Amino acid sequence: MTVTVVGIGGSIRSDSQSERALRVALEGARELGAQTIQYSGPELVLPFYDPSVPERTEVALKMVEDLRRADGVILVSPGYHGTVSGLVKNALDYIEDLRDDERPYLDGRAVGTITAAYGWQAAVNTLAAVRSIVHALRGWPTPLGAAINSAQVKFDGDGSCSDADVDRNLRVIGRQVVEFALRQASHLDVS
């Protein structure tokens, strides 16, 4: 079975620190053979989600369809004033389009959660907020989540992380998403 993991995160600025963290986590998923799809930077600049407006942009339609097919998800948000960025939150609001699916929202899927902020308080508070959102969307947050203090940890242009422990944790999160998806699939095959 090939596992598909969708990564969503970053900021409006392409190649931001949070986007680079997302790429490392997705690499961890690929290490276990997962196919990965990434939505970040300008792809997240979507119209404000409005459930009463059925029209969607091409990117929004593709993202929702990819999430529908996803076995797992990795979410990364910068911490803005101690919580999830509006850009990431708006992208997550589009998951409402999955409400009537056989597997509504993120039901039955592992979701890796990662945040990056300039300071521990914002990073940790934002991680708690992302995990709460995942619970509300019926997802299963991975046991390991990562709060990255961007004042201490940097990612260079080639994606290398200045802190080996953070790099390892991001990869573990990606692998946990895949491992859960494989267990979930084997459980469903037995049922």
mmCIF file of all heavy atoms in Angstrom, residues 42-69:
data_model
loop_
_atom_site.group_PDB
_atom_site.id
_atom_site.type_symbol
_atom_site.label_atom_id
_atom_site.label_comp_id
_atom_site.label_asym_id
_atom_site.label_seq_id
_atom_site.Cartn_x
_atom_site.Cartn_y
_atom_site.Cartn_z
ATOM 1 N N PRO A 42 2.347 30.743 -1.547
ATOM 2 C CA PRO A 42 1.285 31.370 -2.343
ATOM 3 C C PRO A 42 0.078 30.458 -2.604
ATOM 4 O O PRO A 42 -1.026 30.941 -2.805
ATOM 5 C CB PRO A 42 1.984 31.720 -3.656
ATOM 6 C CG PRO A 42 3.430 31.803 -3.319
ATOM 7 C CD PRO A 42 3.649 30.815 -2.202
ATOM 8 N N GLU A 43 0.274 29.121 -2.569
ATOM 9 C CA GLU A 43 -0.859 28.203 -2.779
ATOM 10 C C GLU A 43 -1.906 28.321 -1.674
ATOM 11 O O GLU A 43 -3.055 27.949 -1.868
ATOM 12 C CB GLU A 43 -0.371 26.757 -2.837
ATOM 13 C CG GLU A 43 0.504 26.466 -4.027
ATOM 14 C CD GLU A 43 1.180 25.124 -3.900
ATOM 15 O OE1 GLU A 43 1.633 24.768 -2.800
ATOM 16 O OE2 GLU A 43 1.240 24.436 -4.938
ATOM 17 N N LEU A 44 -1.493 28.840 -0.530
ATOM 18 C CA LEU A 44 -2.423 28.980 0.586
ATOM 19 C C LEU A 44 -3.175 30.311 0.560
ATOM 20 O O LEU A 44 -4.027 30.546 1.415
ATOM 21 C CB LEU A 44 -1.689 28.833 1.928
ATOM 22 C CG LEU A 44 -1.080 27.466 2.187
ATOM 23 C CD1 LEU A 44 -0.377 27.458 3.539
ATOM 24 C CD2 LEU A 44 -2.125 26.376 2.107
ATOM 25 N N VAL A 45 -2.867 31.146 -0.395
ATOM 26 C CA VAL A 45 -3.579 32.420 -0.509
ATOM 27 C C VAL A 45 -4.902 32.124 -1.222
ATOM 28 O O VAL A 45 -5.010 32.196 -2.446
ATOM 29 C CB VAL A 45 -2.743 33.479 -1.251
ATOM 30 C CG1 VAL A 45 -3.522 34.788 -1.348
ATOM 31 C CG2 VAL A 45 -1.408 33.691 -0.555
ATOM 32 N N LEU A 46 -5.879 31.747 -0.426
ATOM 33 C CA LEU A 46 -7.197 31.351 -0.918
ATOM 34 C C LEU A 46 -8.225 32.398 -0.504
ATOM 35 O O LEU A 46 -8.040 33.085 0.509
ATOM 36 C CB LEU A 46 -7.586 29.994 -0.303
ATOM 37 C CG LEU A 46 -6.639 28.830 -0.590
ATOM 38 C CD1 LEU A 46 -6.962 27.653 0.324
ATOM 39 C CD2 LEU A 46 -6.726 28.436 -2.048
ATOM 40 N N PRO A 47 -9.333 32.498 -1.231
ATOM 41 C CA PRO A 47 -10.400 33.396 -0.765
ATOM 42 C C PRO A 47 -10.846 32.966 0.630
ATOM 43 O O PRO A 47 -10.766 31.783 0.976
ATOM 44 C CB PRO A 47 -11.526 33.167 -1.781
ATOM 45 C CG PRO A 47 -10.864 32.574 -2.980
ATOM 46 C CD PRO A 47 -9.678 31.805 -2.474
ATOM 47 N N PHE A 48 -11.319 33.922 1.420
ATOM 48 C CA PHE A 48 -11.839 33.556 2.733
ATOM 49 C C PHE A 48 -12.887 32.473 2.568
ATOM 50 O O PHE A 48 -13.775 32.591 1.715
ATOM 51 C CB PHE A 48 -12.450 34.755 3.467
ATOM 52 C CG PHE A 48 -11.420 35.694 4.024
ATOM 53 C CD1 PHE A 48 -11.365 36.995 3.585
ATOM 54 C CD2 PHE A 48 -10.509 35.259 4.979
ATOM 55 C CE1 PHE A 48 -10.412 37.869 4.085
ATOM 56 C CE2 PHE A 48 -9.559 36.121 5.478
ATOM 57 C CZ PHE A 48 -9.506 37.426 5.039
ATOM 58 N N TYR A 49 -12.771 31.423 3.370
ATOM 59 C CA TYR A 49 -13.720 30.318 3.260
ATOM 60 C C TYR A 49 -15.117 30.806 3.639
ATOM 61 O O TYR A 49 -15.316 31.427 4.675
ATOM 62 C CB TYR A 49 -13.317 29.152 4.167
ATOM 63 C CG TYR A 49 -14.316 28.034 4.069
ATOM 64 C CD1 TYR A 49 -14.315 27.197 2.957
ATOM 65 C CD2 TYR A 49 -15.280 27.840 5.037
ATOM 66 C CE1 TYR A 49 -15.258 26.188 2.825
ATOM 67 C CE2 TYR A 49 -16.224 26.829 4.917
ATOM 68 C CZ TYR A 49 -16.198 26.007 3.811
ATOM 69 O OH TYR A 49 -17.138 25.016 3.675
ATOM 70 N N ASP A 50 -16.080 30.519 2.784
ATOM 71 C CA ASP A 50 -17.481 30.850 3.037
ATOM 72 C C ASP A 50 -18.315 29.651 2.616
ATOM 73 O O ASP A 50 -18.423 29.356 1.414
ATOM 74 C CB ASP A 50 -17.885 32.087 2.240
ATOM 75 C CG ASP A 50 -19.319 32.534 2.500
ATOM 76 O OD1 ASP A 50 -20.100 31.775 3.122
ATOM 77 O OD2 ASP A 50 -19.663 33.651 2.066
ATOM 78 N N PRO A 51 -18.887 28.906 3.577
ATOM 79 C CA PRO A 51 -19.645 27.702 3.217
ATOM 80 C C PRO A 51 -20.869 27.990 2.359
ATOM 81 O O PRO A 51 -21.362 27.093 1.678
ATOM 82 C CB PRO A 51 -20.037 27.098 4.567
ATOM 83 C CG PRO A 51 -19.918 28.204 5.541
ATOM 84 C CD PRO A 51 -18.891 29.152 5.001
ATOM 85 N N SER A 52 -21.341 29.234 2.351
ATOM 86 C CA SER A 52 -22.528 29.557 1.551
ATOM 87 C C SER A 52 -22.195 29.854 0.090
ATOM 88 O O SER A 52 -23.085 30.014 -0.732
ATOM 89 C CB SER A 52 -23.280 30.747 2.160
ATOM 90 O OG SER A 52 -22.505 31.921 2.036
ATOM 91 N N VAL A 53 -20.901 29.928 -0.223
ATOM 92 C CA VAL A 53 -20.461 30.185 -1.597
ATOM 93 C C VAL A 53 -19.865 28.884 -2.136
ATOM 94 O O VAL A 53 -18.791 28.468 -1.716
ATOM 95 C CB VAL A 53 -19.413 31.317 -1.653
ATOM 96 C CG1 VAL A 53 -18.910 31.519 -3.073
ATOM 97 C CG2 VAL A 53 -19.989 32.605 -1.095
ATOM 98 N N PRO A 54 -20.560 28.214 -3.068
ATOM 99 C CA PRO A 54 -20.084 26.910 -3.536
ATOM 100 C C PRO A 54 -18.890 26.966 -4.498
ATOM 101 O O PRO A 54 -18.199 25.968 -4.669
ATOM 102 C CB PRO A 54 -21.308 26.311 -4.240
ATOM 103 C CG PRO A 54 -22.122 27.494 -4.651
ATOM 104 C CD PRO A 54 -21.857 28.570 -3.625
ATOM 105 N N GLU A 55 -18.637 28.112 -5.110
ATOM 106 C CA GLU A 55 -17.527 28.207 -6.058
ATOM 107 C C GLU A 55 -16.212 28.151 -5.295
ATOM 108 O O GLU A 55 -16.061 28.748 -4.241
ATOM 109 C CB GLU A 55 -17.594 29.509 -6.865
ATOM 110 C CG GLU A 55 -18.753 29.592 -7.821
ATOM 111 C CD GLU A 55 -20.063 30.000 -7.130
ATOM 112 O OE1 GLU A 55 -20.004 30.677 -6.084
ATOM 113 O OE2 GLU A 55 -21.132 29.610 -7.620
ATOM 114 N N ARG A 56 -15.245 27.423 -5.882
ATOM 115 C CA ARG A 56 -13.918 27.283 -5.292
ATOM 116 C C ARG A 56 -12.870 27.533 -6.370
ATOM 117 O O ARG A 56 -13.096 27.231 -7.538
ATOM 118 C CB ARG A 56 -13.708 25.863 -4.735
ATOM 119 C CG ARG A 56 -14.713 25.435 -3.676
ATOM 120 C CD ARG A 56 -14.385 26.101 -2.339
ATOM 121 N NE ARG A 56 -15.330 25.660 -1.314
ATOM 122 C CZ ARG A 56 -16.281 26.426 -0.793
ATOM 123 N NH1 ARG A 56 -16.441 27.671 -1.221
ATOM 124 N NH2 ARG A 56 -17.066 25.970 0.153
ATOM 125 N N THR A 57 -11.735 28.053 -5.950
ATOM 126 C CA THR A 57 -10.622 28.209 -6.886
ATOM 127 C C THR A 57 -10.081 26.826 -7.236
ATOM 128 O O THR A 57 -10.352 25.841 -6.540
ATOM 129 C CB THR A 57 -9.487 29.047 -6.265
ATOM 130 O OG1 THR A 57 -8.939 28.321 -5.158
ATOM 131 C CG2 THR A 57 -9.981 30.426 -5.823
ATOM 132 N N GLU A 58 -9.310 26.760 -8.324
ATOM 133 C CA GLU A 58 -8.706 25.480 -8.723
ATOM 134 C C GLU A 58 -7.840 24.912 -7.607
ATOM 135 O O GLU A 58 -7.867 23.712 -7.343
ATOM 136 C CB GLU A 58 -7.865 25.658 -9.990
ATOM 137 C CG GLU A 58 -8.685 25.697 -11.259
ATOM 138 C CD GLU A 58 -7.790 25.716 -12.496
ATOM 139 O OE1 GLU A 58 -6.803 24.956 -12.526
ATOM 140 O OE2 GLU A 58 -8.097 26.505 -13.395
ATOM 141 N N VAL A 59 -7.053 25.772 -6.957
ATOM 142 C CA VAL A 59 -6.176 25.299 -5.880
ATOM 143 C C VAL A 59 -7.008 24.769 -4.717
ATOM 144 O O VAL A 59 -6.703 23.708 -4.163
ATOM 145 C CB VAL A 59 -5.216 26.418 -5.409
ATOM 146 C CG1 VAL A 59 -4.451 25.994 -4.163
ATOM 147 C CG2 VAL A 59 -4.261 26.803 -6.519
ATOM 148 N N ALA A 60 -8.069 25.471 -4.344
ATOM 149 C CA ALA A 60 -8.917 25.014 -3.239
ATOM 150 C C ALA A 60 -9.564 23.672 -3.570
ATOM 151 O O ALA A 60 -9.593 22.764 -2.729
ATOM 152 C CB ALA A 60 -9.982 26.054 -2.914
ATOM 153 N N LEU A 61 -10.069 23.523 -4.800
ATOM 154 C CA LEU A 61 -10.676 22.246 -5.201
ATOM 155 C C LEU A 61 -9.654 21.118 -5.153
ATOM 156 O O LEU A 61 -9.954 20.021 -4.649
ATOM 157 C CB LEU A 61 -11.254 22.354 -6.614
ATOM 158 C CG LEU A 61 -12.525 23.183 -6.769
ATOM 159 C CD1 LEU A 61 -12.829 23.417 -8.245
ATOM 160 C CD2 LEU A 61 -13.687 22.498 -6.071
ATOM 161 N N LYS A 62 -8.454 21.369 -5.650
ATOM 162 C CA LYS A 62 -7.408 20.339 -5.663
ATOM 163 C C LYS A 62 -6.992 19.989 -4.233
ATOM 164 O O LYS A 62 -6.828 18.817 -3.894
ATOM 165 C CB LYS A 62 -6.212 20.797 -6.483
ATOM 166 C CG LYS A 62 -5.129 19.728 -6.601
ATOM 167 C CD LYS A 62 -4.031 20.155 -7.532
ATOM 168 C CE LYS A 62 -2.908 19.161 -7.677
ATOM 169 N NZ LYS A 62 -2.671 18.227 -6.651
ATOM 170 N N MET A 63 -6.822 20.986 -3.380
ATOM 171 C CA MET A 63 -6.418 20.735 -1.995
ATOM 172 C C MET A 63 -7.463 19.888 -1.274
ATOM 173 O O MET A 63 -7.129 18.911 -0.603
ATOM 174 C CB MET A 63 -6.191 22.053 -1.245
ATOM 175 C CG MET A 63 -5.697 21.850 0.178
ATOM 176 S SD MET A 63 -5.472 23.398 1.073
ATOM 177 C CE MET A 63 -7.188 23.900 1.300
ATOM 178 N N VAL A 64 -8.733 20.239 -1.428
ATOM 179 C CA VAL A 64 -9.797 19.477 -0.773
ATOM 180 C C VAL A 64 -9.837 18.047 -1.312
ATOM 181 O O VAL A 64 -9.972 17.083 -0.542
ATOM 182 C CB VAL A 64 -11.169 20.185 -0.934
ATOM 183 C CG1 VAL A 64 -12.318 19.272 -0.520
ATOM 184 C CG2 VAL A 64 -11.182 21.476 -0.124
ATOM 185 N N GLU A 65 -9.674 17.877 -2.610
ATOM 186 C CA GLU A 65 -9.667 16.527 -3.186
ATOM 187 C C GLU A 65 -8.462 15.729 -2.695
ATOM 188 O O GLU A 65 -8.591 14.542 -2.376
ATOM 189 C CB GLU A 65 -9.692 16.585 -4.716
ATOM 190 C CG GLU A 65 -9.852 15.234 -5.365
ATOM 191 C CD GLU A 65 -11.065 14.438 -4.889
ATOM 192 O OE1 GLU A 65 -12.134 15.037 -4.631
ATOM 193 O OE2 GLU A 65 -10.956 13.201 -4.753
ATOM 194 N N ASP A 66 -7.302 16.362 -2.615
ATOM 195 C CA ASP A 66 -6.119 15.673 -2.098
ATOM 196 C C ASP A 66 -6.317 15.283 -0.638
ATOM 197 O O ASP A 66 -5.927 14.183 -0.216
ATOM 198 C CB ASP A 66 -4.863 16.541 -2.258
ATOM 199 C CG ASP A 66 -4.379 16.608 -3.703
ATOM 200 O OD1 ASP A 66 -4.741 15.713 -4.507
ATOM 201 O OD2 ASP A 66 -3.648 17.563 -4.028
ATOM 202 N N LEU A 67 -6.931 16.153 0.157
ATOM 203 C CA LEU A 67 -7.222 15.819 1.558
ATOM 204 C C LEU A 67 -8.232 14.676 1.647
ATOM 205 O O LEU A 67 -8.123 13.815 2.523
ATOM 206 C CB LEU A 67 -7.733 17.043 2.306
ATOM 207 C CG LEU A 67 -6.673 18.086 2.643
ATOM 208 C CD1 LEU A 67 -7.317 19.401 3.057
ATOM 209 C CD2 LEU A 67 -5.735 17.575 3.733
ATOM 210 N N ARG A 68 -9.174 14.652 0.756
ATOM 211 C CA ARG A 68 -10.187 13.582 0.728
ATOM 212 C C ARG A 68 -9.506 12.220 0.538
ATOM 213 O O ARG A 68 -9.866 11.231 1.153
ATOM 214 C CB ARG A 68 -11.181 13.857 -0.391
ATOM 215 C CG ARG A 68 -12.262 12.815 -0.560
ATOM 216 C CD ARG A 68 -13.283 13.232 -1.612
ATOM 217 N NE ARG A 68 -14.214 14.190 -1.000
ATOM 218 C CZ ARG A 68 -14.452 15.419 -1.447
ATOM 219 N NH1 ARG A 68 -13.837 15.879 -2.536
ATOM 220 N NH2 ARG A 68 -15.304 16.204 -0.819
ATOM 221 N N ARG A 69 -8.500 12.176 -0.330
ATOM 222 C CA ARG A 69 -7.797 10.929 -0.640
ATOM 223 C C ARG A 69 -6.654 10.643 0.331
ATOM 224 O O ARG A 69 -6.111 9.541 0.336
ATOM 225 C CB ARG A 69 -7.215 10.990 -2.054
ATOM 226 C CG ARG A 69 -8.229 11.064 -3.164
ATOM 227 C CD ARG A 69 -7.591 11.111 -4.560
ATOM 228 N NE ARG A 69 -6.609 12.179 -4.747
ATOM 229 C CZ ARG A 69 -5.283 12.012 -4.763
ATOM 230 N NH1 ARG A 69 -4.751 10.845 -4.621
ATOM 231 N NH2 ARG A 69 -4.474 13.049 -4.940
#
